[in-house]
Amino acid sequence: MAGWLRTIKKSFWLVFTLLPPVVMLLRNEIGILRSLESTAEYLSFLAASAISLLVFSVGAAWKEGKNPKSTVGGFLRTYVLNLVKGEVYTLPSVAFFVLMTAVLAAWLPDSFENGNFVLATGAIFYLAALVFGLYWVHERPRESRELVPTRYLATALSRLSSWSAKELWRKDCESIIENDGSMNILPLAVAIAFHIEKLERVYIFSSRQNEEKPIKTIIRNGKPTVNEEEKTFLENPPEELRAFLKDLNPFQRKMAVFFAKLSRCLSERGYSVKFRIHWRREKDKFSGQTTVVGNGKRTIDVVFVPNVPYENIKEAREIISNTMRNIRGDEWPLVTYDLTMGTATMSVALALEAVKEKAQAEYLRQDETNNGRKNTLTRVDVDPLSLLDIDEVIRRRMEMR
């Protein structure tokens, strides 16, 4: 919006925000207002509030029609997050809270106590006008909505027992980097490949189930059974993998195979990288055990965080927050939360952390088209005033379950 249009808009907002309280103060001082007061006390205030409500309702309807992702309902539900962000210090926010306090603490109680329904109606109209007016005049920060590579990547781990490390190791690199949809671990490869030029560290949050049952299971005689081929592959890996997998448990071996394969695939694309994997023992402690896989020149750290309660948003958020707390405040724009993997609940927990820290969030759209599978890594809008993109991610995650 051009500067002069923004100035006119804020001027209109200021005039019609102050109109009702000014009329209330001067209702007995101006002739036309005194005539209205002679009909019914506070009738002039009611009329001014109705005018302001009409003007702001039209402005809000125009704004909502222009940007369907930004709704009045969403604004009301999430406005408290703006206080955490510090937006209460803007003129519209300060004026809103001062005038809202006057309505709720004085005008409405007095009107009900005195049985003055004209004043009560005017106060309700004015309160609604304040909400619509603040929504209309509020402008979201202007920033690039393009997904950009970042230094840090955080994601959750989907169920390991649904794919085989042996099959992954034999898979061609294009199918892995481009995600052919055959394994739920492949979105992680897509994300790492996208961020590879700037990427320094990957945080992976894993459930207890993944650590206890990492081997692929198949249904045999109506019962889930461990895939013996994968079990044998992990216990007796190919010669080129043995040095990487030494002294690791089945969960660690399976993930080490993934990163060894990814290192090889990235090298084919001109990125000489290796992965230094840190195996954590508890919520915020390193076990001291690290594994380096790949033969590249540049090292990317991978931090595994175990035993995350995937179905408990509060506890999951606490673990995520504790894990990421070493990141400096000025580095948060360099963080990406990937919402593709894990459970729908974990996607919510990661998205909420992205909102809190003003970090970037992404999601891999996986659509079937007439020309085959289409994968699009897209930025998710985590601005608290427009959570429709997050709603879409969660809806898609629930449909996939």
Side-chain angles (χ1 to χ4, degrees):
M1 182 182 292
W4 64 273
L5 285 176
R6 191 177 294 111
T7 301
I8 292 175
K9 179 179 178 180
K10 290 186 176 180
S11 299
F12 265 90
W13 169 81
L14 185 61
V15 168
F16 287 100
T17 295
L18 296 179
L19 178 63
V22 169
V23 167
M24 174 178 279
L25 292 173
L26 302 178
R27 67 185 187 279
N28 295 317
E29 306 297 329
I30 301 176
I32 188 172
L33 299 182
R34 280 201 304 269
S35 63
L36 287 173
E37 291 298 306
S38 64
T39 304
E41 189 179 14
Y42 294 107
L43 184 60
S44 57
F45 170 68
L46 173 59
S49 297
I51 293 171
S52 294
L53 177 58
L54 176 63
V55 171
F56 289 148
S57 296
V58 171
W62 173 81
K63 179 178 179 179
E64 192 169 11
K66 187 178 178 181
N67 183 13
K69 288 187 176 183
S70 177
T71 65
V72 178
F75 180 83
L76 284 174
R77 289 194 302 270
T78 61
Y79 186 70
V80 67
L81 293 176
N82 291 331
L83 305 185
V84 177
K85 293 169 63 178
E87 292 184 11
V88 71
Y89 298 112
T90 63
L91 175 60
S93 299
V94 172
F96 173 80
F97 280 100
V98 170
L99 294 169
M100 181 186 68
T101 302
V103 173
L104 296 177
W107 300 349
L108 270 178
D110 289 348
S111 65
F112 288 127
E113 183 178 345
N114 299 324
N116 191 325
F117 293 105
V118 174
L119 175 59
T121 305
I124 293 171
F125 279 8
Y126 185 51
L127 186 61
L130 288 175
V131 173
F132 284 120
L134 184 61
Y135 167 75
W136 176 54
V137 79
H138 185 276
E139 295 182 7
R140 293 170 59 186
R142 295 181 175 273
E143 58 183 24
S144 171
R145 305 314 301 168
E146 234 178 86
L147 184 67
V148 296
T150 55
R151 184 180 300 170
Y152 306 106
L153 176 67
T155 188
L157 195 61
S158 296
R159 188 163 56 93
L160 287 189
S161 60
S162 66
W163 58 276
S164 165
K166 181 179 181 179
E167 295 170 5
L168 176 77
W169 184 249
R170 293 177 174 179
K171 208 171 186 60
D172 67 274
C173 285
E174 184 177 356
S175 298
I176 292 174
I177 299 296
E178 300 298 332
N179 180 22
D180 63 3
S182 61
M183 301 179 181
N184 62 15
I185 192 66
L186 299 186
L188 178 57
V190 176
I192 290 175
F194 176 82
H195 295 277
I196 191 64
E197 291 187 2
K198 293 187 176 180
L199 193 62
E200 294 180 7
R201 193 180 309 155
V202 182
Y203 295 93
I204 300 179
F205 300 91
S206 179
S207 67
R208 182 182 295 274
Q209 181 185 18
N210 277 333
E211 291 140 42
E212 293 178 346
K213 299 178 180 180
I215 308 298
K216 182 178 180 180
T217 56
I218 57 177
I219 303 300
R220 182 174 295 165
N221 299 325
K223 296 181 179 180
T225 307
V226 169
N227 186 318
E228 292 297 332
E229 284 190 10
E230 183 185 26
K231 183 178 179 182
T232 301
F233 174 83
L234 292 175
E235 291 174 351
N236 299 287
E239 183 67 30
E240 54 196 324
L241 284 174
R242 287 178 187 171
F244 299 143
L245 307 188
K246 186 180 179 181
D247 299 326
L248 300 183
N249 63 39
F251 166 78
Q252 295 169 340
R253 288 187 170 217
K254 188 163 188 174
M255 292 310 305
V257 169
F258 168 79
F259 281 105
K261 181 68 175 183
L262 184 57
S263 173
R264 175 182 291 185
C265 292
L266 290 171
S267 68
E268 292 183 4
R269 296 198 168 200
Y271 299 104
S272 179
V273 298
K274 57 187 173 185
F275 296 94
R276 180 169 53 211
I277 306 173
H278 303 265
W279 308 105
R280 284 199 170 188
R281 183 178 65 248
E282 297 174 10
K283 292 181 182 178
D284 56 354
K285 295 179 181 178
F286 287 105
S287 65
Q289 182 184 12
T290 61
T291 303
V292 178
V293 297
N295 299 307
K297 296 179 180 178
R298 182 162 69 95
T299 300
I300 296 176
D301 287 294
V302 178
V303 179
F304 272 96
V305 183
N307 300 332
V308 180
Y310 272 14
E311 303 307 321
N312 189 316
I313 291 180
K314 183 178 179 181
E315 289 186 26
R317 285 192 65 190
E318 182 181 349
I319 292 174
I320 295 169
S321 181
N322 286 339
T323 301
M324 310 288 285
R325 65 187 174 189
N326 290 330
I327 294 177
R328 300 193 313 268
D330 61 345
E331 287 188 308
W332 280 109
L334 306 177
V335 177
T336 296
Y337 286 92
D338 189 283
L339 313 182
T340 313
M341 298 172 56
T343 63
T345 303
M346 276 301 293
S347 292
V348 174
L350 289 166
L352 291 174
E353 286 301 303
V355 171
K356 185 182 77 171
E357 304 295 354
K358 295 184 180 179
Q360 181 176 251
E362 67 183 19
Y363 178 73
L364 182 65
R365 293 180 61 105
Q366 304 168 67
D367 301 314
E368 297 293 341
T369 67
N370 293 332
N371 298 322
R373 190 178 189 85
K374 180 181 179 182
N375 295 282
T376 309
L377 195 62
T378 58
R379 178 167 179 153
V380 177
D381 189 356
V382 292
D383 188 298
L385 297 182
S386 182
L387 298 177
L388 293 187
D389 283 358
I390 294 179
D391 291 341
E392 180 184 357
V393 170
I394 303 308
R395 175 180 59 79
R396 285 173 170 267
R397 298 302 313 281
M398 294 302 291
E399 289 174 354
M400 291 169 61
R401 293 188 68 179

